Amino acid sequence: HLESLEKFGIDLSASAFCSTIGALGRAGEWKQAVKMLSSMYDHGVTPDLNSYNAAIIGCSKAGQWKPAIQMIEDLMIVGLRPNVHTYAYAIASCKKKGNWEKALQLMRDMENLGIKKNIHVYTAAMSTCCNAGEWESTLKLLEQLLRDDIKPSVHAFNIALKACREGDQAKLSMKLLNDMSIYRMNPDVVSFTTVVCALGDRGLWKQALKVLEIMKSKGCQPDIQACNAVLAAFAKSGEVSGAYRFFERIKGEYGLTPNTISYTTLMSVCEKSGDTEKIDTIFSDMSAAACQPSKVTFLTALKACKRNGRWTQALKYLSLLKSNGFEVDIKLYNAAMQSFHEKGESEQAKALYEEILAMKVVPNATTFCYLIQSFEKSKRNDWKTVFQILEQMKDQGISPDLRIYNAVVCVCETQGAWIEGAKRLTDYRRSIGDLD
């Protein structure tokens, strides 16, 4: 494009190059943007600071911190002085890969050059630290921002709140939310939701519910994410009745439509409390509401089938899982395999194991542990089969662990073959070098 302009006798200026470099950066063509910057000298045009900044912006959007920092060095070599925008975008370039130490170094470089930091520099550095899981560094930057007498933004507080959540600092997030009013900041939906989620992660349902009510009173309509966080708090604390009541409030008081996470969370409450038959009802309600179940939904339902040996229901869920187009992985198969233990359905367990192999899913030690456990309450007196399973484990290259050996011992003991079983187990362990 630039060469075409030259053919028509149009002089190329630094601003023309700058516009082209900026366009390339916005299009995600950061390499071309940097190349265009270098080519300015070939066209007899000396790059100015705006040209360098445009190229750095392109690198920032692509998360390319190395070339961004290199350009700061290059522009200083040719006698240009970087400004606050140069550093803001260079720091932002560190965010994608979480290079928080480099971001903080760039801030120190600004101080050494006497360049005053602004809100954009701080939020870029805070985001980088937050992305790297450095919640303490994120909060220190917020403190420094406030000490530097820079007017904070809701976005800056939201980054700090996110850092608190990811650092498992739920109570600290509540304090930050309250501190926003000191600086005349009005928390937005993101602010409230982040705090509710942080409290939900810790199972602090009373505090989560309180923040949700404050959110509503401030004119911020709670969304389904915030409500799901409160529901998760009830689940973590084992508050079954509270979870059910709040689920109804989601639909009624808050006027929201429960989503897959809502239904799955409610199912997990039932699974943990042992009220497993309600899971079938919730699953049916979910289908009636045309809400698509996820793998986690099915995993929760399958785990619940372990109680009372509801193996027929487990197989139904497996069938539904496949009909919904999901690929059944070993974690889901293992969850189903657990359901055979209570009723001693060893034949069903073996059939599922054969399906696992037929589907080319690789079994693990947990698979074999649950398979062996299914023989414990079997009425077939088939304890010898567990030793065949141990041999199959060997063929799969899986070494037995303590769980496996305990399961074998339990099978032999309950089927009245303790002595012979113990001898066989000792021989087996010697054969694989597990005994001196």
Side-chain angles (χ1 to χ4, degrees):
H1 176 68
L2 292 173
E3 289 176 355
S4 298
L5 291 176
E6 279 187 314
K7 287 178 182 178
F8 286 101
I10 299 173
D11 290 333
L12 298 178
S13 63
S15 62
F17 273 98
C18 184
S19 298
T20 305
I21 292 168
L24 288 168
R26 287 191 296 275
E29 298 288 343
W30 69 272
K31 288 183 180 179
Q32 291 299 319
V34 174
K35 187 177 178 181
M36 180 66 68
L37 178 71
S38 300
S39 73
M40 289 178 71
Y41 288 104
D42 298 334
H43 292 274
V45 182
T46 302
D48 58 10
L49 183 59
N50 289 335
S51 302
Y52 275 101
N53 282 352
I56 291 171
I57 290 170
C59 292
S60 173
K61 290 182 180 297
Q64 296 294 326
W65 62 273
K66 286 184 179 179
I69 292 172
Q70 182 61 52
M71 278 185 282
I72 294 179
E73 295 176 8
D74 293 346
L75 70 88
M76 293 177 73
I77 289 172
V78 298
L80 294 172
R81 177 179 169 80
N83 60 19
V84 67
H85 306 296
T86 312
Y87 277 99
Y89 285 113
I91 291 169
S93 72
C94 301
K95 175 183 173 181
K96 193 171 184 178
K97 295 183 180 176
N99 200 333
W100 64 280
E101 290 174 315
K102 185 60 70 175
L104 296 184
Q105 179 59 55
L106 287 169
M107 291 188 76
R108 289 191 289 271
D109 292 345
M110 288 183 74
E111 291 175 7
N112 294 334
L113 291 169
I115 301 172
K116 191 174 180 180
K117 297 183 282 289
N118 63 13
I119 185 66
H120 302 296
V121 169
Y122 274 106
T123 53
M126 289 173 67
S127 292
T128 302
C129 290
C130 183
N131 275 18
E134 292 289 328
W135 67 269
E136 290 175 299
S137 296
T138 307
L139 298 188
K140 283 179 183 176
L141 283 169
L142 179 64
E143 290 173 6
Q144 189 179 334
L145 182 158
L146 298 173
R147 281 200 307 271
D148 285 354
D149 202 26
I150 295 172
K151 182 180 169 74
S153 63
V154 173
H155 178 52
F157 271 98
N158 285 349
I159 296 168
L161 290 171
K162 182 184 176 186
C164 286
R165 182 191 178 188
E166 294 180 358
D168 198 23
Q169 302 295 315
K171 291 183 178 178
L172 187 53
S173 73
M174 285 190 71
K175 180 184 179 303
L176 272 180
L177 188 69
N178 291 330
D179 287 350
M180 289 181 75
S181 62
I182 298 173
Y183 299 96
R184 298 181 180 180
M185 295 282 109
N186 293 318
D188 60 12
V189 173
V190 175
S191 315
F192 284 113
T193 301
T194 304
V195 176
V196 172
C197 288
L199 295 165
D201 293 341
R202 294 293 305 275
L204 302 170
W205 65 269
K206 289 182 181 177
Q207 293 93 322
L209 201 54
K210 183 179 178 181
V211 173
L212 199 69
E213 293 304 313
I214 294 171
M215 179 180 183
K216 192 177 176 183
S217 70
K218 296 289 184 182
C220 285
Q221 176 61 35
D223 58 12
I224 194 62
Q225 184 186 1
C227 289
N228 283 345
V230 176
L231 199 59
F234 280 114
K236 282 183 180 292
S237 59
E239 289 286 335
V240 182
S241 58
Y244 269 101
R245 285 195 300 270
F246 187 74
F247 186 82
E248 292 305 316
R249 287 179 66 187
I250 292 175
K251 296 184 286 184
E253 181 180 338
Y254 296 104
L256 297 169
T257 302
N259 61 13
T260 301
I261 295 173
S262 314
Y263 283 104
T264 303
T265 304
L266 193 60
M267 288 169 68
S268 71
V269 174
C270 298
E271 189 263 322
K272 289 173 183 174
S273 67
D275 197 358
T276 55
E277 292 193 4
K278 277 188 178 178
I279 287 179
D280 299 337
T281 303
I282 297 168
F283 196 94
S284 297
D285 292 344
M286 190 176 183
S287 299
C291 188
Q292 181 70 24
S294 66
K295 269 193 174 184
V296 178
T297 310
F298 282 107
L299 183 61
T300 305
L302 285 167
K303 282 181 177 179
C305 293
K306 175 186 175 183
R307 293 179 183 269
N308 304 320
R310 298 172 66 240
W311 64 271
T312 54
Q313 190 61 32
L315 294 181
K316 285 179 183 177
Y317 280 125
L318 269 184
S319 179
L320 276 172
L321 185 64
K322 296 168 194 170
S323 65
N324 273 267
F326 290 109
E327 184 179 336
V328 187
D329 57 28
I330 195 58
K331 194 172 183 180
L332 290 158
Y333 271 122
N334 286 348
M337 188 72 80
Q338 288 185 88
S339 66
F340 300 119
H341 176 225
E342 186 65 29
K343 298 289 177 65
E345 291 291 339
S346 56
E347 290 300 308
Q348 293 292 339
K350 284 194 291 182
L352 187 61
Y353 174 70
E354 291 301 323
E355 180 184 320
I356 291 170
L357 297 181
M359 297 301 294
K360 300 191 184 308
V361 176
V362 180
N364 56 25
T366 302
T367 313
F368 285 104
C369 181
Y370 293 154
L371 176 58
I372 291 170
Q373 284 177 347
S374 71
F375 287 82
E376 185 181 345
K377 298 181 181 180
S378 172
K379 296 179 174 62
R380 296 175 179 274
N381 193 30
D382 47 5
W383 62 272
K384 292 180 182 178
T385 307
V386 300
F387 291 95
Q388 295 173 13
I389 294 169
L390 287 177
E391 291 298 329
Q392 290 173 22
M393 277 188 72
K394 194 194 314 185
D395 294 340
Q396 292 282 343
I398 299 172
S399 300
D401 55 20
L402 186 60
R403 295 175 305 158
I404 304 286
Y405 289 136
N406 283 342
V408 172
V409 169
C410 286
V411 170
C412 294
E413 187 176 14
T414 54
Q415 294 198 16
W418 164 247
I419 296 175
E420 189 174 353
K423 181 179 179 302
R424 282 201 179 198
L425 187 57
T426 301
D427 292 342
Y428 173 79
R429 294 182 67 185
R430 281 204 183 96
S431 74
I432 62 171
D434 200 21
L435 277 180
D436 295 332

